[in-house]
Amino acid sequence: MSSKLDFRRLRYFAAVCELGSFSKASEFLNVAQSALSQHVATLEEDLGVQLLVRQPRGVSRTEAGDRLHAHARGVLHALEQAELDVLSLARAAVGPVMVGFNYTAMEAIGLPFIRRVAATLTEVKLRVIEAHSEIMHEWMLSGQADLALTLVPPGDDRLEAVPLLDEELVCLGTREMIGDGGPIDLAEVLRLPLIMPGRTAVLQALASDAGVRRAIADKVYLEIESAIPLKRAVSAGLGVTVQSAALAGDEIARGELVARPVVNPSMGRTLFLVSSRIKTASRAVVEARRLMVDVVREAHASGRWPGRWRDSYLETR
């Protein structure tokens, strides 16, 4: 397989996919269009599958092309990281780092983390992506992300998930809808108009008990996948949601939303720092990992991310 999937062919194929045509890829790579087309055709012949559909105004990927492109990006990124990792031994952390955040993490520590990286890792090119936990696990496995903060352990031996923080879940709503302060029974929450993300994995992160998950799912009247529109809907009095208080720290501080711990049963989840067991981390990734832990720890210590810090986690490697 190594002779079929060499670096040059993968790079050419990825460029055609991302630029949408052989002509644009030819100009970008400074390679003759005929040679580019031949390399991709040879790749298709060697693999025995059609990767691209040639059209009058460009190309589109087949299902096989989609899969190979995802792998190609991971392979090309790994090769780039390998080169930079060797070079970085003689200088500061340098090169690309791709970090994935779940929606709560992005709201709680996204901006502080970006600022910390920009201030201390000046030669690192940071890319931040936001998605549900299970999608980030896929990105990690395909090499499209180097680190991720997720709320569900990956369940794949190729990934390491280190627990950082145990957080309790709260009912978020306006004061007019849920009142002030103390704990609120889940049964009372379920009598209110409930707004939640729709993915099954989100509910799995909210409650380990299948009966509780079904009870919540049955009462959801509005599904919103993105954190910002979800918070806006709740702030507008359209309903309540069950989430981490860290998701709405600013809104709680301004008095727009109230956070009441959910009880009977109480609900909680764990924040995991996910990294690859099979890919050697560059110095840039190692340093970014250390900063990420520092920023989460500081958010917890300041009260911005309530919960119980995992004392077993000492230092990022």
Side-chain angles (χ1 to χ4, degrees):
M1 289 296 292
S2 60
S3 63
K4 299 176 183 178
L5 296 178
D6 61 59
F7 172 77
R8 181 170 60 172
R9 286 179 182 168
L10 284 177
R11 187 164 69 94
Y12 288 174
F13 170 71
V16 173
C17 290
E18 288 157 17
L19 295 173
S21 74
F22 282 97
S23 60
K24 291 180 181 178
S26 172
E27 182 178 353
F28 175 77
L29 296 167
N30 196 26
V31 174
Q33 186 172 333
S34 58
L36 202 58
S37 180
Q38 183 59 49
H39 276 290
V40 174
T42 301
L43 186 58
E44 290 178 315
E45 183 179 349
D46 288 345
L47 293 174
V49 293
Q50 184 179 5
L51 300 171
L52 299 175
V53 177
R54 281 73 170 172
Q55 298 169 333
R57 295 188 177 181
V59 299
S60 61
R61 296 192 294 269
T62 64
E63 182 179 359
D66 278 333
R67 292 192 180 189
L68 182 59
H69 179 251
H71 288 297
R73 293 312 310 160
V75 169
L76 295 173
H77 177 65
L79 287 170
E80 182 182 12
Q81 287 280 37
E83 178 182 354
L84 291 170
D85 190 34
V86 173
L87 294 174
S88 70
L89 293 175
R91 55 180 177 173
V94 61
V97 176
M98 293 183 283
V99 176
F101 287 103
N102 65 70
Y103 295 115
T104 298
M106 182 65 83
E107 291 295 304
I109 58 106
L111 186 57
F113 173 74
I114 292 168
R115 285 175 171 162
R116 188 71 58 86
V117 170
T120 60
L121 302 178
T122 57
E123 295 187 60
V124 165
K125 181 179 180 181
L126 180 65
R127 180 187 178 201
V128 176
I129 46 184
E130 181 183 28
H132 291 296
S133 296
E134 76 277 14
I135 295 176
M136 286 191 288
H137 296 159
E138 295 174 7
W139 287 343
M140 293 287 299
L141 289 170
S142 67
Q144 297 178 75
D146 299 302
L147 301 167
L149 286 175
T150 77
L151 295 168
V152 179
D156 191 301
D157 290 340
R158 292 171 293 176
L159 298 177
E160 179 185 30
V162 178
L164 296 183
L165 180 71
D166 296 322
E167 58 177 1
E168 71 173 357
L169 298 179
V170 301
C171 176
L172 292 172
T174 61
R175 183 168 283 99
E176 292 75 17
M177 187 162 285
I178 66 171
D180 288 309
I184 182 171
D185 283 0
L186 178 61
E188 184 178 348
V189 174
L190 296 181
R191 289 193 289 270
L192 299 169
L194 190 58
I195 306 173
M196 297 290 292
R199 287 181 176 269
T200 301
V202 175
L203 293 179
Q204 289 174 339
L206 290 177
S208 58
D209 184 270
V212 173
R213 292 201 300 269
R214 284 195 300 271
I216 294 173
D218 289 345
K219 294 297 183 178
V220 173
Y221 94 99
L222 176 60
E223 295 180 358
I224 302 179
E225 294 292 343
S226 181
I228 293 177
L230 186 150
K231 290 194 297 180
R232 287 176 177 170
V234 173
S235 295
L238 298 181
V240 302
T241 190
V242 177
Q243 296 288 338
S244 164
L247 182 72
D250 291 337
E251 290 81 1
I252 294 170
R254 292 194 298 264
E256 296 174 14
L257 293 177
V258 174
R260 297 182 62 184
V262 177
V263 295
N264 297 322
S266 59
M267 300 173 66
R269 62 189 182 187
T270 300
L271 176 72
F272 295 93
L273 173 58
V274 181
S275 56
S276 175
R277 293 182 186 273
I278 60 175
K279 185 173 73 172
T280 302
S282 68
R283 183 175 175 187
V285 171
V286 171
E287 291 299 314
R289 190 175 192 267
R290 178 181 59 81
L291 291 182
M292 181 178 289
V293 174
D294 288 345
V295 172
V296 174
R297 184 188 285 115
E298 290 166 10
H300 170 255
S302 70
R304 182 171 179 80
W305 203 329
R308 181 178 66 86
W309 184 257
R310 289 290 189 103
D311 293 332
S312 59
Y313 187 88
L314 299 176
E315 289 293 335
T316 183
R317 293 178 296 283

